[in-house]
């Protein structure tokens, strides 16, 4: 007598599609300190992406630009275009202050990305635009960061103005070619170098090109301000 056996069908687990991830980083200058910081940041965010299930790193966008209005952020624009083209679904960045120059720009960019279904994660603050509670916090944090930057900038400008008014600014007493500081720290003409400056102007008025002036100075054995034998076009 055969037994009636029931066969239970176990459906396969649906394959979860990988989310397309982009990393955005920005530093304000190409100084060695900033570049080292940039390298460490990219490594950290790359590890985060690699260790998160169903995340696939598609591209890394890097801008070396200050936060001042008017500075070009070519990679940021490229990232926005990729998000609009559905090539990126998640953007990871270090913090809010590196994402935009001010509160308005940050919120406008986030709203634009939200319209395209793109999620933005700020790693340092632990904020995620997929969380509705994060929007208010992002606005508050960016406003505070912007106020701090503006205050710092004003303090620096105030310091420059105060030193200029008191006559103690080093900007006006720094060492220049064919000048030297007297015992009071005031710039005075250094005659042995001043004749070289006059020669450069004379050659220029005679129709010499920058390359021609460079060759003439080297031909005469006149050394650069740093004591080198070969002049650079930029120095001239």
């Amino acid at each position: 007598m055969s037994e009636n056996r029931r066969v239970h069908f176990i459906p396969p687990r649906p394959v979860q599609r990988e989310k397309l991830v982009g990393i955005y980083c920005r530093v304000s200058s190409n100084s060695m300190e900033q570049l080292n910081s940039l390298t460490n940041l990219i490594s950290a965010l790359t590890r985060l992406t690699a260790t998160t299930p169903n995340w696939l790193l598609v591209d890394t966008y890097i801008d070396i630009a200050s936060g001042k209005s008017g500075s070009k952020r070519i990679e940021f624009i490229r990232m926005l275009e990729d998000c609009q083209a559905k090539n990126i679904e998640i953007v990871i960045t270090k913090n809010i202050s590196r994402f935009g120059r001010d509160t308005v720009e940050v919120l406008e960019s986030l709203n634009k990305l939200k319209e395209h279904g793109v999620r933005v994660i700020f790693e340092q603050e632990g904020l995620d635009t997929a969380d509705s509670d994060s929007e208010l916090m992002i606005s508050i944090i960016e406003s505070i960061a912007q106020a701090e930057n503006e205050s710092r900038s004003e303090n620096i400008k105030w310091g420059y103005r105060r030193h200029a008014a008191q006559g103690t600014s080093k900007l006006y007493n720094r060492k220049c070619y064919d000048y030297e500081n007297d015992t009071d720290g005031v710039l005075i003409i250094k005659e042995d170098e001043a004749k070289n400056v006059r020669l450069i102007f004379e050659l220029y008025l005679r129709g010499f090109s920058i390359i021609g002036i460079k060759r003439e100075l080297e031909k005469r054995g006149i050394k650069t301000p740093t004591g080198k034998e070969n002049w650079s076009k930029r120095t001239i």
Side-chain angles (χ1 to χ4, degrees), residues 125-229:
E125 293 90 353
L127 296 174
D128 187 338
T129 57
D131 182 0
S132 58
D133 293 335
S134 292
E135 292 187 9
L136 177 59
M137 287 303 300
I138 290 171
S139 178
I140 293 173
I141 293 173
E142 172 56 24
S143 297
I144 294 173
Q146 181 183 346
E148 289 177 347
N149 288 335
E150 291 174 352
S151 176
R152 189 180 302 113
S153 177
E154 286 302 316
N155 287 337
I156 293 173
K157 291 178 182 178
W158 177 82
Y160 286 152
R161 289 194 295 267
R162 184 171 66 87
H163 287 302
Q166 295 176 347
T168 58
S169 176
K170 297 299 182 181
L171 292 174
Y172 302 104
N173 292 331
R174 61 187 178 183
K175 186 177 180 180
C176 302
Y177 187 63
D178 96 16
Y179 285 91
E180 61 183 346
N181 296 98
D182 63 11
T183 55
D184 296 323
V186 178
L187 289 177
I188 58 174
I189 295 176
K190 193 175 182 180
E191 284 299 333
D192 59 332
E193 293 179 351
K195 63 181 182 181
N196 297 332
V197 175
R198 297 189 188 101
L199 173 62
I200 291 173
F201 276 93
E202 180 185 340
L203 293 173
Y204 179 76
L205 292 174
R206 285 165 53 187
F208 278 66
S209 65
I210 298 297
I211 295 295
I213 295 174
K214 164 182 160 62
R215 290 172 179 169
E216 186 65 24
L217 293 174
E218 293 171 353
K219 179 181 177 182
R220 299 190 184 200
I222 298 174
K223 294 186 177 181
T224 69
T226 56
K228 297 178 181 178
E229 295 182 355

Side-chain angles (χ1 to χ4, degrees), residues 79-101:
M79 180 196 71
L80 293 179
E81 292 174 347
D82 283 348
C83 290
Q84 293 171 7
K86 306 297 182 182
N87 296 327
I88 299 292
E89 297 172 285
I90 300 175
V91 174
I92 306 177
T93 189
K94 178 184 178 182
N95 54 37
I96 299 172
S97 64
R98 292 298 174 185
F99 192 74
R101 300 182 183 91

Side-chain angles (χ1 to χ4, degrees), residues 5-115:
R5 295 182 180 180
R6 292 184 177 181
V7 177
H8 296 279
F9 175 72
I10 302 176
R13 291 183 179 180
V15 178
Q16 292 185 340
R17 187 178 65 82
E18 291 179 313
K19 294 291 185 180
L20 308 178
V21 180
I23 293 174
Y24 177 72
C25 301
R26 178 178 69 83
V27 291
S28 55
S29 72
N30 59 358
S31 67
M32 186 59 66
E33 181 182 359
Q34 292 271 297
L35 294 179
N36 287 336
S37 174
L38 176 63
T39 301
N40 294 332
L41 175 58
I42 294 174
S43 297
L45 295 181
T46 300
R47 284 195 300 270
L48 173 62
T49 305
T51 55
T52 302
N54 300 317
W55 277 14
L56 176 64
L57 179 59
V58 175
D59 208 340
T60 300
Y61 307 86
I62 303 170
D63 276 319
I64 301 178
S66 71
K68 295 180 180 179
S69 177
S71 59
K72 294 182 179 180
R73 293 200 295 164
I74 298 174
E75 286 293 277
F76 185 80
I77 295 173
R78 186 171 73 87
M79 180 196 71
L80 293 179
E81 292 174 347
D82 283 348
C83 290
Q84 293 171 7
K86 306 297 182 182
N87 296 327
I88 299 292
E89 297 172 285
I90 300 175
V91 174
I92 306 177
T93 189
K94 178 184 178 182
N95 54 37
I96 299 172
S97 64
R98 292 298 174 185
F99 192 74
R101 300 182 183 91
D102 52 46
T103 307
V104 174
E105 185 181 59
V106 168
L107 296 180
E108 285 182 349
S109 298
L110 291 178
N111 287 333
K112 187 180 297 183
L113 292 174
K114 188 176 181 180
E115 291 176 359

